[in-house]
């Protein structure tokens, strides 16, 4: 907002100045001053008060009412996964705590107490920060709508997020990992048969639970009811059996482990992007994989649903370079895999989408264990891909586009320490060029 300073002469011939500005359709003025700099100070003060909301007429409203209006505004533009995350933070933490307050009653002290209580429940700092991000959006919306004069969250000490250390597989570890994966569907089925042959060797009560779950195809709830056990006890026994056998087959009958994890290592695709990959996303001629969607599973209107949604960001829409060897493995997979209703590259025997947790629990983690490797996250395969590109001295810009980072700053912040390992060599090369060149010129 801009204002002005106007001047006039009195009857006595003396010069006077005053500040002027506008609040909506209504003009406003400051007092007449005998010095121009005083009127300019009045103008600066008035504009500051307007910008900070001190001159607004506040429309008092409850936090719940603002929240409902904000959700109406945001809902059409949010991905289902983002909407689910927002709704979870609101229903579990924000409404129970602030739903009965008027918005202007929520003070920085009240917010600091809220953060302390979240910490005491054992929530991680990252989760608390994500909850506060949602709350911050509510306050910013309320300031724009003149329900409060300022955002109280700006004066609150927020949890500090330590930068996590990334982990990745080295070349020898990649070879060990890939060697443990069944290379085709037949080998994977044989691995399952081997598992069933080892069931009788399990001690009780592990054997009974595993037989009911994998052979008789009973659900955890029924097993718990039939054996008069808690569901948590049944799950812990299945987990114990997996530790003993180092492998439990997935009940979704997925046998594409080799190509699935190979693509993850050689393309850096996120888990949701891989699960949402369709056959028409593969350009066999130009040797590219087009990332256009991600698969997400979550609750919508109280029901669990599969949703193919846009990827994480606009930059995540990208075309990945892949090798002919990888395309050849994809051709083999296409001949063996079942037909999917959505033309998914990776699906169950029934053609349904894969469930991420099941894939990690019954495929990824056992493969790491068979290879004798430490436990890592699936996302660390993405870091592995980045580390391979850096080792090959690919340009940071190329790495950014392949990974789908919105900014090259993200690429440097995440992988800069890996690039630093080459700095001494780069410095030596630069010195050699300059010094050797100057020596020759003499």
């Amino acid at each position: 907002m801009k204002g002005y300073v106007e001047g006039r002469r009195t009857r006595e011939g003396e010069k006077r100045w005053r500040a002027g500005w506008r609040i909506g359709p209504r003009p406003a003025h400051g007092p007449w001053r005998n010095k121009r700099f005083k009127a300019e100070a009045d103008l600066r003060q008035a504009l500051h008060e307007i910008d900070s909301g001190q001159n607004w007429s506040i429309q008092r409203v409850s936090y719940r009412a603002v929240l409902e209006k904000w959700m109406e505004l945001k809902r059409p533009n949010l991905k289902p996964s983002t909407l689910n995350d927002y709704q979870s933070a609101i229903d579990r933490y924000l409404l129970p705590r602030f739903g009965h307050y008027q918005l202007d009653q929520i003070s920085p002290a009240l917010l600091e107490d809220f953060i302390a209580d979240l910490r005491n429940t054992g929530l991680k700092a990252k989760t608390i920060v994500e909850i506060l991000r949602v709350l911050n959006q509510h306050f910013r919306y309320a300031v724009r709508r003149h329900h409060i004069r300022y955002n109280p969250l700006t004066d609150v000490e927020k949890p500090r997020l330590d930068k996590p250390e990334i982990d990745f597989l080295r070349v020898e570890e990649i070879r060990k990992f890939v060697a443990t994966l069944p290379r085709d569907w037949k080998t994977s089925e044989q691995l399952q048969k081997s598992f069933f042959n080892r069931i009788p060797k399990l001690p009780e009560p592990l054997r009974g639970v595993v037989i009911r779950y994998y052979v008789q195809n009973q659900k955890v709830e029924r097993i718990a009811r039939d054996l008069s056990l808690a569901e948590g006890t049944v799950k812990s026994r299945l987990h114990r059996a997996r530790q003993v056998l180092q492998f439990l087959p997935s009940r979704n009958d997925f046998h594409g482990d080799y190509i699935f994890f190979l693509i993850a290592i050689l393309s850096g695709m996120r888990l949701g992007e891989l699960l949402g990959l369709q056959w028409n996303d593969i350009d066999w001629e130009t040797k590219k994989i087009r990332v256009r969607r991600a698969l997400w599973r979550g609750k919508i209107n109280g029901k669990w649903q599969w949703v193919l949604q846009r990827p994480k960001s606009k930059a995540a829409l990208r075309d990945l370079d892949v090798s002919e060897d990888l395309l050849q493995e994809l051709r083999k997979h296409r001949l063996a895999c079942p037909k999917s209703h959505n033309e998914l590259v990776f699906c169950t025997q029934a053609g349904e989408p894969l469930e991420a947790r099941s894939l990690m629990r019954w495929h990824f983690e056992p493969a790491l264990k068979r290879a004798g490797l430490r436990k890592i996250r699936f996302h660390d395969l993405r870091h592995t891909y980045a580390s391979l590109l850096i080792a090959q001295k690919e340009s940071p810009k190329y790495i950014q586009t392949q990974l789908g980072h919105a900014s090259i700053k993200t690429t440097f912040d995440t992988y800069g320490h890996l690039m630093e390992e080459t700095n001494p060599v780069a410095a030596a090369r630069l010195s050699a060029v300059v010094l050797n060149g100057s020596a020759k010129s003499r």
Side-chain angles (χ1 to χ4, degrees), residues 59-314:
Q59 304 167 19
R60 207 156 183 260
V61 68
S62 68
Y63 172 74
R64 185 183 293 271
V66 166
L67 178 57
E68 290 171 356
K69 287 288 186 181
W70 177 82
M71 283 298 290
E72 286 179 17
L73 180 69
K74 297 290 287 187
R75 194 184 302 274
N77 302 318
L78 293 176
K79 294 190 299 182
S81 58
T82 307
L83 180 60
N84 185 74
D85 292 341
Y86 283 0
Q87 198 65 59
S88 176
I90 290 166
D91 293 342
R92 295 181 64 184
Y93 303 106
L94 299 178
L95 267 183
R97 186 61 175 254
F98 303 115
H100 59 286
Y101 281 96
Q102 291 293 310
L103 198 61
D104 57 1
Q105 292 177 325
I106 303 176
S107 64
L110 198 65
L111 292 170
E112 287 173 352
D113 291 341
F114 173 59
I115 294 172
D117 290 341
L118 291 178
R119 281 192 173 119
N120 292 335
T121 61
L123 284 181
K124 294 182 180 178
K126 183 179 179 182
T127 305
I128 297 174
V129 168
E130 289 170 353
I131 295 169
L132 294 179
R133 282 175 183 159
V134 179
L135 184 59
N136 186 56
Q137 291 192 55
H138 299 164
F139 287 136
R140 290 175 62 187
Y141 171 76
V143 170
R144 292 198 306 270
R145 296 299 298 268
H146 296 187
H147 295 308
I148 50 176
R149 297 189 187 279
Y150 86 111
N151 181 350
L153 202 54
T154 58
D155 293 333
V156 172
E157 186 77 22
K158 301 169 188 68
R160 179 179 176 180
L161 290 179
D162 294 327
K163 186 178 177 181
E165 291 187 11
I166 67 168
D167 196 2
F168 58 91
L169 298 179
R170 279 64 180 174
V171 174
E172 287 304 316
E173 292 174 326
I174 294 172
R175 290 171 180 159
K176 285 182 183 179
F177 174 70
V178 171
T180 68
L181 300 173
R183 293 183 69 92
D184 51 44
W185 285 59
K186 184 176 180 181
T187 307
S188 179
E189 289 171 343
Q190 290 174 347
L191 193 60
Q192 286 197 341
K193 288 179 182 178
S194 172
F195 160 76
F196 285 116
N197 290 335
R198 285 180 287 158
I199 288 180
K201 301 176 184 178
L202 281 175
E204 286 290 358
L206 299 183
R207 182 167 65 245
V209 172
V210 171
I211 288 175
R212 286 173 177 269
Y213 189 75
Y214 284 100
V215 180
Q216 300 175 4
N217 204 31
Q218 294 182 6
K219 293 185 177 180
V220 170
E221 296 85 353
R222 181 179 171 183
I223 298 172
R225 186 174 65 251
D226 292 349
L227 299 180
S228 300
L229 296 171
E231 291 182 19
T233 302
V234 173
K235 291 179 180 178
S236 66
R237 287 182 182 175
L238 287 171
H239 179 67
R240 175 61 182 154
R242 181 164 65 102
Q243 290 180 318
V244 171
L245 295 173
Q246 294 190 359
F247 169 74
L248 287 184
S250 171
R251 301 176 81 222
N252 60 22
D253 295 326
F254 173 64
H255 300 289
D257 300 49
Y258 178 76
I259 183 61
F260 184 86
F261 295 116
L262 192 63
I263 291 181
I265 293 171
L266 297 180
S267 73
M269 292 176 70
R270 299 176 177 93
L271 179 56
E273 295 169 349
L274 263 174
L275 296 177
L277 185 65
Q278 296 176 334
W279 285 112
N280 59 11
D281 294 326
I282 301 172
D283 193 326
W284 308 96
E285 302 259 338
T286 60
K287 299 179 183 178
K288 291 184 182 295
I289 291 179
R290 294 187 292 267
V291 180
R292 295 296 181 268
R293 69 196 61 79
L295 182 70
W296 174 77
R297 182 174 185 259
K299 279 189 176 181
I300 301 177
N301 298 325
K303 294 183 179 179
W304 287 96
Q305 297 183 34
W306 296 104
V307 178
L308 287 170
Q309 62 181 12
R310 64 182 185 271
K312 185 176 181 181
S313 64
K314 187 176 180 180

Side-chain angles (χ1 to χ4, degrees), residues 20-40:
W21 60 89
R22 185 176 292 276
I23 303 177
R26 176 172 57 87
H29 301 92
W32 289 101
R33 302 289 192 180
N34 61 352
K35 298 291 183 182
R36 183 182 177 91
F37 75 87
K38 293 182 179 179
E40 291 172 346

Side-chain angles (χ1 to χ4, degrees), residues 424-436:
V425 179
R429 285 200 303 266
L430 180 63
S431 178
V433 169
V434 174
L435 297 181
N436 291 345

